[in-house]
Each structure stands twice: as structure tokens, then as C-alpha cells.
Amino acid sequence: MHQLIVSPHNGTFLVARPGARAGMQIPRAMYRQLDAIAGSSSPLPDWLLEGARTAWGLDLAGVPVREAVLVRPETRLGYGRATYEINKGCNFNCEHCYLAERKFEGLPWDGKARLLRLLRDAGVLWLQFTGGEPLIDRDFMDAYVLAHRSGMLIEILTNGSRLHRPEVIGMLRELPPHKVTVSLYGATPDSFDSLTRKKGAFKLVEKGLIAASEAGIALELALIITRHNAHELETMRALADRYGAGRTEYGTISPTYSGTPEPLAAQAPGFLDKTSVFKGCPAGHTFFHVDPHGLATMCKVGRENPIDLMTEGLDGLLRLPGIADAQMLRTGGCGGCRLSGTCRVCRPLAKAYQEAKAPLNTYCQHGSEEAQ
């Protein structure tokens, strides 16, 4: 099993270690040197031995290339990242969920395996498994192992309810992910179980956080701020510190990606994210999203004109940049807006708000004091 991954990435060349945040950027000449000896019993070059010691405290002296390094080939496509919605099914029923439906359906195992190989061949280095809840998919563990052994750096976006299971922890310890991001919906059973509409959800997630932390798995908490838990925000932050996890806070609740308004009821007043201006996005150009059936779109929200990778293969991705650019045009209610230069909402998400007939003050500066 490889300890390092050497890979092209958006015009550069990287050396990464699964489970570690640090990495190295190398010139093409060094990449070609490693590519020429990939899979051989040759010793590692001195510059890589020194780099591994410096970046990760890793001693690879005497280890042949075939046991230490997986060298990924250059591809004709420049997609460095992807998200894979392995299944929309979920064992929670969150009030704020952006999925219109949570059906347990998707590709059979042979289809999933083929899809993962297509992602690899598209150049995907960073892969996020998401859902629904990915850990409840019957093929998740096999899919994770295949992706890891294909040389992908993996993030698992999970509700954490099955993270405590010994078979999951054992796999993640043996094949470390880049990180596991757990959504935190409160700091007490009352708030957490109320939002997820699942009795006992908070205790399950706590078990998962404890197990992952004790196993040394890289954790991050996504703090989802809603009307159920806004009063517990400081305690939610403290939970992240307790488990040694990084944290990111999300206070803006969106409608479903298909434009229905039900999730908006969970919005906590005063927690709309109006801090960063939207300055464009490389969705569809350097990364993309794939749903449970192998349909590729620019991202999780912009799902118009999906490309069926299972029938079109990698050639279909050549059309994706044009599809993405068309979805980024500010048309309809946003056409000619005098505040477009400082807008904080991407166009596909704005369209979902408009289709949900959301109040302007939930997403648009026209509905805020800044527009006066």
C-alpha cells in the first residue's frame, strides 16, 4: 500500500500523504523522474527522502518505489476535485435538508466501481463522499477502499451516526482519509434530536466523535446553526475543541436544490452569512459533482443538464464547462441588478431561492439595510 501519492493537479504536480494536511509541490522534471521508475524496485530519489522527512517526519530510506509511492498519470481532463453523492438515503430526517427527496437508490456495485475509475481517469485527486448519509450505503466501505487505493485523497461528509462502528474505524485507521467532516446540529440531545427528528441522534454522533478522535482520524466539525441550536453556539464550538477538530460555521439555510422552500423554516434570525462577496467559482471547470446514478453536474446545487457518465464516459465531461457557464449567467430576477458586483450568492443558489419564493432578505442585498 502506498504511503505517498504523486499526482498532477490543475497544471501543477503534488506529493501528498493520505491522512496528512501537509504536502509538497514539485516541478514537472521531478514528477517525470518518479513516473519513469513507478512500480519498480528502484530506491527513492534523495530529494523525496528529504522531503518526506521534512513534511511528515517519514523515514522511507531503503523502501523501494513500488512500496512507497503511487504515481498518478497525467490526463487530458483538468478536474482535480469531485463530490460523489453515493446515495441520497439518510437515517436522519433533518428539517433543513437541501435534498428534495432522500431515496435509497443508486448504481449497483459494478457501476459504482466503474464510476470511481472514471473519476480517477478524469484526474480527480480530492474526492468527497457525501449523501444523504454515505456510511449507510451498502457499498460505501468497498467504494472507499477502491478510491483510496486509486490514489485519491478522501473527505467523508457524514452525520457521524455510524462513525463509531468498529469496521468503519478500523478501515479509516488502516487507510487514512484526508479528513472526516461531521455535521453538528446542536450541543445537547434536545436541540440535536429536534432538528434531525431522530431520537438518540446526539448520543450516536458523540460515540462517533470519541471513536474517531481516539483513533487519530483527522476530524472537522461543520457547525450548522439553526433556530433549534443558535443559543448553544458557544457550546458547539467547545465540542469541536474537545475532540481536537477544526470547525466551520454555517448559518445560512438554503432551499432544496430543486427550489422548494421547506428548509428555510430552520433559519435562525441573525445568522445569515453576508460576509463574503461571490467572485465566481470554478465549478464545472476544475471540479464537479456526481449523483447516485452517475449523473455529473457542475456542483451539488447547479444540477441542470446533467451528463450521464455511465453512457457518455469521460467525453461527456468536455461539455460540462459550457453547461456551468450557462448556469452562472445572471438572468431572470437577477438580470441588470445594480448590486451584482457585491452579491454574496452564487447564481444557481439564487435561482433556487427565487424558485422557492424566498423573502429577499434571506439571500439578497435588496432585502437588507445595505441596499438602502
Side-chain angles (χ1 to χ4, degrees):
M1 180 53 59
H2 56 271
Q3 299 191 59
L4 301 178
I5 300 167
V6 178
S7 178
H9 181 255
N10 293 347
T12 66
F13 299 91
L14 304 179
V15 183
R17 177 166 169 76
R21 298 295 178 93
M24 301 165 52
Q25 184 170 320
I26 61 175
R28 179 182 291 273
M30 288 181 174
Y31 168 80
R32 286 179 172 171
Q33 180 186 9
L34 290 172
D35 190 38
I37 58 176
S40 74
S41 57
S42 300
L44 295 171
D46 290 340
W47 63 263
L48 185 56
L49 291 173
E50 181 59 30
R53 280 191 290 266
T54 301
W56 307 290
L58 184 63
D59 185 3
L60 294 175
V63 181
V65 171
R66 66 171 179 269
E67 296 179 16
V69 180
L70 174 66
V71 181
R72 292 170 47 115
E74 292 189 78
T75 69
R76 62 191 175 100
L77 296 168
Y79 289 104
R81 292 191 293 128
T83 55
Y84 177 24
E85 189 176 62
I86 191 170
N87 199 317
K88 292 181 185 178
C90 189
N91 54 339
F92 288 178
N93 184 26
C94 294
E95 179 183 345
H96 71 287
C97 185
Y98 75 94
L99 293 175
E101 296 180 290
R102 291 181 286 279
K103 293 182 179 180
F104 287 81
E105 60 184 19
L107 297 169
W109 167 243
D110 59 346
K112 290 185 176 82
R114 179 169 170 245
L115 177 60
L116 287 167
R117 294 187 183 101
L118 286 170
L119 297 184
R120 175 200 64 195
D121 294 344
V124 173
L125 177 59
W126 273 276
L127 177 65
Q128 182 191 81
F129 278 101
T130 183
E133 171 47 43
L135 269 64
I136 67 173
D137 190 90
R138 64 184 180 184
D139 295 320
F140 169 74
M141 292 185 63
D142 289 336
Y144 180 93
V145 170
L146 177 57
H148 195 284
R149 291 179 175 169
S150 298
M152 298 185 197
L153 300 171
I154 301 170
E155 177 187 7
I156 304 170
L157 189 58
T158 175
N159 65 28
S161 62
R162 296 199 176 186
L163 189 55
H164 66 281
R165 295 194 170 192
E167 66 273 20
V168 174
I169 291 295
M171 178 187 71
L172 298 180
R173 186 187 288 114
E174 179 184 355
L175 304 175
H178 185 65
K179 65 179 175 180
V180 175
T181 299
V182 178
S183 298
L184 190 66
Y185 300 124
T188 63
D190 284 346
S191 63
F192 201 105
D193 296 2
S194 175
L195 179 64
T196 61
R197 297 186 281 211
K198 171 80 171 180
K199 187 174 177 58
F202 181 70
K203 291 183 178 179
L204 283 175
V205 174
E206 275 201 312
K207 286 177 65 177
L209 292 174
I210 291 169
S213 179
E214 290 178 348
I217 295 164
L219 277 174
E220 184 166 310
L221 290 186
L223 277 53
I224 312 300
I225 307 166
T226 71
R227 64 185 180 88
H228 297 272
N229 60 33
H231 61 288
E232 297 177 344
L233 181 54
E234 286 302 322
T235 312
M236 292 167 69
R237 292 168 175 163
L239 275 175
D241 295 339
R242 181 190 309 171
Y243 295 114
R247 67 172 188 259
T248 306
E249 298 176 9
Y250 299 93
T252 299
I253 303 300
S254 70
T256 67
Y257 68 79
S258 59
T260 55
E262 289 81 6
L264 298 175
Q267 178 69 55
F271 283 94
L272 290 173
D273 181 8
K274 294 188 175 182
T275 57
S276 59
V277 174
F278 180 72
K279 296 182 178 179
C281 175
H285 290 263
T286 63
F287 74 90
F288 60 95
H289 175 72
V290 186
D291 83 350
H293 302 283
L295 299 179
T297 52
M298 63 181 289
C299 65
K300 298 174 187 177
V301 178
R303 301 196 187 207
E304 294 180 8
N305 301 312
I307 294 165
D308 190 341
L309 292 181
M310 308 312 291
T311 58
E312 294 191 52
L314 295 180
D315 287 343
L317 290 176
L318 298 174
R319 296 190 289 110
L320 190 55
I323 293 172
D325 289 346
Q327 290 182 77
M328 282 296 184
L329 296 176
R330 294 196 171 273
T331 56
C334 290
C337 174
R338 64 186 175 87
L339 295 173
S340 61
T342 57
C343 184
R344 296 179 172 91
V345 183
C346 77
R347 179 59 202 146
L349 184 56
K351 182 176 180 180
Y353 278 113
Q354 291 165 347
E355 290 180 350
K357 295 181 170 52
L360 280 175
N361 63 4
T362 62
Y363 70 98
C364 176
Q365 288 163 267
H366 280 309
S368 72
E369 293 180 359
E370 298 171 38
Q372 304 304 317

